[in-house]
Amino acid sequence: MIELDGVAKRYGGQLALDGVSLSVTPGEFLALVGPSGSGKTTLLKTINRLIEPDAGAIRIDGGDARAPAPHLLRRRIGYVFQEVGLFPHLTVAQNIAVTPKLLGWAAARIAARVETLLGLVDLPSALAGRMPAELSGGQRQRVGVARALAAEPAMVLMDEPFGALDPLTRETLGTDYRALHDRLGLTTVMVTHDMAEAVLLADRLVVLNQGRIVGDGAPAALLAQTSDPQVRALLEAPKRQAERLSARLAGDPPGARP
């Protein structure tokens, strides 16, 4: 579904991506993880050409990603990001309908799609006429997911999609999106700094460091096989957090190690 071959990107003297090659199969949920500045978001944005690579090839569903105009490519790929980016002057329904309208869908088809998507993302249809400012953060992010799915894309890119939400809303929305991914047969690539989120939601983790892939595999297999101490530290972070939380709830003082 997505294939990157030797993709490189430089910002001035800084090498952000250093010859990255990666394949994502149809139906896969892949999480890009790694320290800040490792190239995760740059890599994600090269897929839908929000960032143009300096070298390498990118293929989407077997075709050259550079063949169509960038805006036409993006209409085939759902995109969800942390700030949501809903148009404040448009209603919920109008925000969801943006891409189908650009694609020339009939009004009746758009209305039916909006109604369907509100149900898929667990929002009441009564919110269709609301403005984004009238919604909670979690509701706005659900609208963002609905908008990304509006034109029935086969793939969705997500850049820290739940990072600005409170922990309970973040967990609920992540779980709900994973269920949607499975139900709709989507191919999803997600950037996240939250290793617990990555391990719980993704089928496969790709670990980046200094613009290179240093780990790639299913969470358990990657932990068992890696010899890279940084990759191991990242993968073990959720376990360490859980142990500290358990100790804290048992009455240990802050900072105590179990």
Side-chain angles (χ1 to χ4, degrees):
M1 183 65 76
I2 303 169
E3 187 175 5
L4 287 77
D5 185 8
V7 172
K9 180 64 181 179
R10 184 180 294 274
Y11 298 111
Q14 180 68 36
L15 188 60
L17 294 175
D18 188 5
V20 172
S21 295
L22 175 68
S23 295
V24 185
T25 59
E28 192 169 32
F29 194 130
L30 183 146
L32 297 172
V33 298
S36 297
S38 59
K40 301 184 299 295
T41 293
T42 296
L43 178 58
L44 187 80
K45 290 183 176 180
T46 62
I47 296 172
N48 65 356
R49 296 183 62 189
L50 284 172
I51 292 175
E52 297 284 2
D54 298 325
I58 300 173
R59 288 175 285 276
I60 303 297
D61 202 15
D64 187 345
R66 295 169 296 184
H71 68 282
L72 296 178
L73 175 71
R74 291 174 201 139
R75 290 176 189 175
R76 297 167 45 201
I77 303 173
Y79 186 54
V80 185
F81 49 100
Q82 182 173 326
E83 297 84 3
V84 187
L86 299 181
F87 297 107
H89 60 291
L90 299 181
T91 66
V92 166
Q94 290 168 336
N95 266 283
I96 295 172
V98 166
T99 300
K101 188 174 181 180
L102 289 171
L103 292 172
W105 288 21
R109 183 183 177 190
I110 291 175
R113 184 62 176 162
V114 169
E115 183 73 18
T116 296
L117 285 165
L118 287 173
L120 282 175
V121 299
D122 199 24
L123 288 175
S125 58
L127 293 183
R130 298 269 187 93
M131 307 303 287
E134 301 176 68
L135 307 180
S136 69
Q139 288 173 328
R140 286 194 295 272
Q141 199 66 358
R142 288 179 184 274
V143 174
V145 171
R147 182 178 62 181
L149 298 174
E152 302 175 340
M155 67 191 75
V156 177
L157 308 180
M158 310 183 87
D159 190 4
E160 289 285 348
F162 315 126
L165 303 174
D166 67 85
L168 184 58
T169 302
R170 179 172 187 156
E171 180 183 11
T172 301
L173 192 49
T175 301
D176 288 351
Y177 177 78
R178 176 68 216 215
L180 272 179
H181 167 94
D182 294 335
R183 177 177 175 180
L184 301 177
L186 299 171
T187 301
T188 299
V189 181
M190 178 181 70
V191 167
T192 180
H193 283 93
D194 187 325
M195 283 303 302
E197 180 175 75
V199 169
L200 289 171
L201 297 182
D203 304 312
R204 175 180 163 205
L205 307 182
V206 169
V207 185
L208 289 167
N209 190 24
Q210 297 182 333
R212 295 182 178 182
I213 294 176
V214 295
D216 184 352
L222 187 55
L223 180 60
Q225 297 168 5
T226 186
S227 59
D228 187 307
Q230 187 171 43
V231 173
R232 180 168 294 280
L234 278 171
L235 292 172
E236 290 180 342
K239 181 180 178 182
R240 293 195 303 271
Q241 291 170 343
E243 290 172 346
R244 291 201 303 271
L245 178 61
S246 179
R248 187 76 175 107
L249 292 175
D252 288 355
R257 294 183 177 271

